[in-house]
Amino acid sequence: MLQKRKITRNHGKTAKIGSHGFKVYKGTTVYIGKSTAIKNGVSEELVSMLQDLWNNNPSTKKMRKFVKYISIKKSIQSGGTSGRWMKERQAIEIIQHGDEVNWYKGTFYHEVEGHAFWDFARKWRREELIKFNELANRMPPINSYIKDNEYRWRGWNDDGDSDYEAHPSMTRYANEQHSAITEIIRCSGRRETLLFKEGVEQLVKAWEDLHY
């Protein structure tokens, strides 16, 4: 018998673990893709791993009120995007391709501690983020993924909210550099590091100042 897809919410005032297994605050929705007539649901191993990272990783704690939607689903395609942060919806999406699971540790760090925190910091850690961005923008690409998109991302500003004037340091390039150094710090870098050792060390220090 096919299982229904599950969407759960915490309707209380404090963060707590619900039947979905994720510790969330009121207003945060968790979606876990289950089996349907045309595809299998996400693996229990992947859900368990993501639950552990979300519930127990110290740096993720700051994101629990900021992230409003968590989606974990299985793709019928063999490859493609494994995760994304959608700032307009404050939503994290993890997309499983095939049966491999360990890769998604890096995806989690890249999207949650990387892109989601970077977006959080635009308001709440703005001065520290500007310092990080200015350094990241001066540095060569950390990995081949950033190198392949360098020209386009250097001209793309991610600071487009109306609450304040866009700062020139808030490039997509710096945003992606931040996610890449996050993966390295968490020992889950999935691509070869192109940046020289001293550059990595400088970005790690700036990352630590930003993430307090």
Side-chain angles (χ1 to χ4, degrees), residues 40-43 45-46 74 78 96-104:
N40 294 325
V42 296
S43 71
E45 183 183 0
L46 175 60
K74 182 75 174 282
S78 60
Q96 184 180 15
H97 302 273
D99 298 323
E100 200 282 332
V101 169
N102 284 333
W103 171 271
Y104 290 91

Side-chain angles (χ1 to χ4, degrees), residues 1 6 24 38 64 78 83 87 136 168 172 176 192 205:
M1 184 174 69
K6 180 169 64 176
V24 295
I38 61 172
R64 288 185 190 145
S78 60
K87 69 178 182 179
R172 177 60 58 89
E176 292 290 348
E192 180 183 358
K205 175 61 168 61

Side-chain angles (χ1 to χ4, degrees), residues 15-209:
K16 63 181 182 181
I17 296 177
S19 59
H20 46 72
F22 288 78
K23 191 171 186 178
V24 295
Y25 283 89
K26 180 180 179 180
T28 299
T29 299
V30 178
Y31 166 87
I32 300 175
K34 297 295 184 179
S35 297
T36 70
I38 61 172
K39 67 178 181 180
N40 294 325
V42 296
S43 71
E44 293 183 4
E45 183 183 0
L46 175 60
V47 173
S48 178
M49 184 191 74
L50 295 173
Q51 286 170 346
D52 180 63
L53 289 171
W54 178 264
N55 294 339
N56 300 313
N57 178 34
S59 292
T60 302
K61 186 176 181 180
K62 303 180 184 70
M63 297 292 94
R64 288 185 190 145
K65 285 187 177 180
F66 188 66
V67 175
K68 299 300 183 184
Y69 189 89
I70 302 169
S71 172
I72 307 169
K73 60 185 182 180
K74 182 75 174 282
S75 174
I76 60 175
Q77 299 177 342
S78 60
T81 300
S82 61
R84 59 171 62 94
W85 162 249
M86 295 167 279
K87 69 178 182 179
E88 293 80 9
R89 297 172 56 200
Q90 293 176 248
I92 291 288
E93 186 175 60
I94 304 294
I95 308 164
Q96 184 180 15
H97 302 273
D99 298 323
E100 200 282 332
V101 169
N102 284 333
W103 171 271
Y104 290 91
K105 287 184 179 180
T107 301
F108 177 91
Y109 293 129
H110 186 99
E111 302 300 339
V112 179
E113 279 196 75
H115 290 312
F117 187 92
W118 192 93
D119 202 41
F120 163 88
R122 287 190 306 119
K123 180 176 181 181
W124 302 108
R125 299 284 292 169
R126 193 165 179 82
E127 291 184 9
E128 292 81 2
L129 181 61
I130 289 171
K131 290 179 181 178
F132 176 92
N133 291 343
E134 289 175 343
L135 175 62
N137 282 319
R138 292 197 301 270
M139 292 290 182
I142 292 176
N143 57 40
S144 59
Y145 174 59
I146 298 173
K147 184 177 180 179
D148 290 345
N149 296 280
E150 180 178 4
Y151 179 79
R152 181 167 61 98
W153 284 347
R154 282 189 179 277
W156 183 341
N157 193 291
D158 272 341
D159 198 22
D161 291 10
S162 59
D163 293 345
Y164 33 70
E165 183 178 355
H167 195 276
S169 75
M170 301 285 186
T171 63
R172 177 60 58 89
Y173 181 81
N175 193 343
E176 292 290 348
Q177 292 270 76
H178 175 260
S179 286
I181 201 67
T182 299
E183 289 189 51
I184 292 172
I185 288 169
R186 294 304 180 205
C187 300
S188 62
R190 296 167 294 176
R191 300 176 177 89
E192 180 183 358
T193 302
L194 303 179
L195 187 60
F196 53 95
K197 180 181 178 182
E198 293 78 7
V200 170
E201 291 173 348
Q202 290 178 54
L203 282 174
V204 168
K205 175 61 168 61
W207 186 98
E208 291 172 344
D209 292 342

